[in-house]
Amino acid sequence: WPFLISCLLLVVLATLSKEQGITVIGVCFIYELLILHKGRIWEVVYVGQWTSKSPLPVWLREMFLRLFALILAAVSLLIARVRLMGSQLPVFTKFDNPAAVSDTPTRQLTYNYLLPVNVWLLLFPCDLCCDWTMGTIPLVDSFLDPRNLATVALYFAISALIRSSVVSEAEGHYSVVIMSLSLMMFPFLPASNLFFPVGFVVAERVLYTPSMGFCLLVAYGWQLLYKRRRWKLIVWSGVLGLLFIHTLKSVHRNSDWKSEYTIFMAGLRVNDRNAKLYNNVGHALENRGDYQKALEYFRKASEVQPDDIGAHINVGRTLNNMRMYQEAEEAFWKAKNLLPRPRPGEQYQARVAPSHLNVFLNLGNLISRNDTRLEEADSVRILCSFHSDKLLRRLNVLNVLLQKGKASERVYFNLGMLAMDNRDVSEAEKCFRKAIELRDDFRSALFNLALLLSDAHRPFEAVPVLKQLLKNHPDHVKGLILLGDIYINHVRNLDAAKQCYEDILSLEPSNIQALHNLCVVYVERGLLLEAESCLKKAVSIAPHEEYVQRHLKIVKDRLKQQEDKQSLNGRNSSYSSKFSLLN
C-alpha cells in the first residue's frame, strides 16, 4: 500500500504536468491484474464465477482493493480535469487535425493509419519534425489506398504478439510482452483520437512513455537472439551499430534545435505541405527584421493552405511593415473573408481563434491612414469588438456617454452597429438616424441605414438616404451599387440604374459587379448584342466568375433563337412573295 499511494501521488504530479500522466494508472492496472499475481486471462474470468459461499482469498481481496483504488484515482483525476476545463472538451480547428472534421470512412481510415506512422517513428526515427498538423499527412480517403496495408500489418503484428504471450510456456515471456504492450498502448491512448479528437496529427512528444515499452520489447528480442550461439556476433554488431547511428542522429538533431529558425527549417525539409511551418519560419525571419524573406514564406504558407486565415494575416502585416499598403489591405480582406459568416435567420455558434480577430484591428488601422475612409475604418473595428471579449465593456462605455449627455454621432453609430449585430433592427435604425441628425454627411451611418432599410424590405425608404449619401460622397461605390440594384429590382428605372453603374465604372473600370449589373440593364432593355459585348468584357476581366460565364451563355442562346426566328420569318416572307407572283 505505501508503494501504491506513492505511485498515485506521482501520477497526480505527472497529470498536472501533462494529461498523459493519468495513463500510467492503466499500466499499473495491467501490472496488478496480470503480472503481480501471475494471473492469466482465463483465471481472471474464473474469479467472476466465484460464489458467495466460498470466501475470497486474502490476496484476491487485496488485489480488488488496489484495483478499486486505481479506478477511483483515475475517475477523480478525470473529473477534476473536466471541471478545470469548464466541463467541456477543447475545440480544435480543421487545421490542427484535418481528419477530425472529415467524413466517414476517411476519418476512421486516417486515424487507424496514424498508428503505424507513430510505430514507424519509434522503429526508424529518421524523419523527425516539430509539427505534423495541417496537410502534413494526406488523408486516407479510400479503402483502396495502399497505406491501409500498413494499418493491417500493425494490427496483425500486435495480435501475433498477444497470441505468443498467451500460448508461450517460456519463463517470463508472458510478463515481458504484456508489460511492453501496456507501456506502448496505454500512454498513447489520449493521442489516438479513440475517445475524442486531439489538436494534432502526430506529436513525437507523446511517444516518450510508449518508447519505454518499445525499448523493453526490443531488448527482450535481443536477449532471445543472444541466447542462440550463432547469433551472438550478429546481435552484438547490431546493437553497437544501432547505438552508433542513434548517437549520430542525436548530435545532428541537437543542431536542428539551435534556434527557432533552424528547427522550423528542419521541419520543412521533412514536411513541405505544412503551412504552419512556413508561417513559423516567416515569424523567425520577421523577428530578425528580414521582411522580404519572411514575406516569401508567409506567401508560401497561403499557397499551401489557401484557407489559412493566419497566413493571410501574416502576409498583410509584413506588407504593411514594408509600406506596401494596397497589397497589405488586399491580404487582410482575404483573411477577413475566410472568417465564419452569419447565416441569415439562423442561430449558430462559431469558434474564432483570438489571434484571427487581429485582422479587424489591422484592417481598421490600415484603412484609417486615408482620412476619407475613417468611418469605414471605424466600422471594421466595431465588428472586431463584437467578436472579442471587449464587447460588453465597449457597450457599457457607450451607454455611460449617452446617460451623461456626451454622445457624439460616433457613439450613436457604434450603438447602431452593435444593434445590427444583435439583429435589433428598430434600435439600429433609431441610432443611425440620430447619428445622421448630428452630422448629415456621416458616410458610414448613411450607408448602413440604407443597407438596413433595404434588407428590411423597405427599399423605397432607402433611396432618399442613398441620394443624401451620394450627394456628399459621389464616389461611394457600395452606395452606387445598392442604389442601382434598387432601381432595377424595385423602382424599375433602368436609365437611373445604368447611370449608377456607369458612374462606378468611371471610378473603378475593373469593378466586375458594376460591369455585370450594367450588362443586366442591357438584357432588361432587350439589347442583347450590347449585353453580349458587355458580358464578354466582364469575362475577360474575371474569367473565373462562374455566374458571368453562365449569363453570357444565356444571352448567346437568346441571340441564336432570335437569328433562327428571323431566318424562319425571312423564308416565310419569300414564299409569300413567290405565291403572289404566281397568282
Side-chain angles (χ1 to χ4, degrees), residues 19-27 30 78 111 115 118 155 181-198 200 206-207 209-210:
E19 286 88 344
Q20 268 185 298
I22 196 174
T23 62
V24 175
I25 291 180
V27 179
I30 293 296
L78 285 173
Y111 281 166
L115 300 179
N118 281 277
Y155 282 125
L181 291 176
S182 299
L183 282 166
M184 289 177 67
M185 292 180 177
F186 280 100
F188 187 74
L189 280 178
S192 66
N193 293 281
L194 183 62
F195 301 111
F196 46 81
V198 295
F200 52 84
V206 304
L207 297 177
T209 310

Side-chain angles (χ1 to χ4, degrees), residues 33 36 215 229 237 307 355 368 389-390 392 450 485 505 527 563:
L33 191 63
L36 187 62
C215 291
R229 292 184 177 180
S237 301
D307 55 352
S355 60
S368 64
D389 58 354
K390 297 179 181 178
L392 292 177
D485 291 348
L505 292 172
L527 304 174
E563 290 174 1

Side-chain angles (χ1 to χ4, degrees), residues 196-215:
F196 46 81
V198 295
F200 52 84
V201 179
V202 174
E204 291 158 14
R205 64 182 180 276
V206 304
L207 297 177
Y208 176 70
T209 310
S211 68
M212 298 178 186
F214 183 75
C215 291

Side-chain angles (χ1 to χ4, degrees), residues 8 115 155 218 220 301 445:
L8 292 178
L115 300 179
Y155 282 125
V218 171
Y220 180 59

Side-chain angles (χ1 to χ4, degrees), residues 528-529 532 556-571:
L528 296 183
L529 287 174
E532 182 186 29
K556 285 182 175 180
D557 289 343
R558 288 189 185 180
L559 281 170
K560 189 175 185 308
Q561 289 174 4
Q562 278 190 359
E563 290 174 1
D564 293 343
K565 187 175 181 180
Q566 288 174 358
S567 176
L568 180 61
N569 289 337
R571 287 199 297 271

Side-chain angles (χ1 to χ4, degrees), residues 125-187:
C126 176
D127 294 331
L128 300 178
C129 183
C130 59
D131 188 278
W132 293 80
T133 55
M134 293 191 166
T136 300
I137 298 178
L139 298 174
V140 182
D141 54 8
S142 169
F143 287 102
L144 300 178
D145 193 311
R147 291 177 293 173
N148 290 320
L149 295 175
T151 306
V152 174
L154 175 64
Y155 282 125
F156 178 81
I158 293 174
S159 301
L161 278 172
I162 294 174
R163 182 180 179 278
S164 72
S165 68
V166 172
V167 302
S168 175
E169 297 296 331
E171 184 180 358
H173 182 86
Y174 171 82
S175 300
V176 172
V177 173
I178 291 298
M179 281 307 299
S180 297
L181 291 176
S182 299
L183 282 166
M184 289 177 67
M185 292 180 177
F186 280 100

Side-chain angles (χ1 to χ4, degrees), residues 510-526:
S510 60
N511 189 305
I512 189 63
Q513 188 177 3
L515 182 58
H516 172 265
N517 290 357
L518 180 61
C519 303
V520 172
V521 171
Y522 290 137
V523 173
E524 291 290 325
R525 283 181 164 177

Side-chain angles (χ1 to χ4, degrees), residues 6 63 93 183 228 285 396 402 409 462 475 507 523 559 569:
S6 301
M63 184 185 78
T93 67
L183 282 166
R228 302 179 182 182
L285 291 167
N396 289 336
L402 277 180
E409 68 277 7
D475 59 345
L507 296 168
V523 173
L559 281 170
N569 289 337

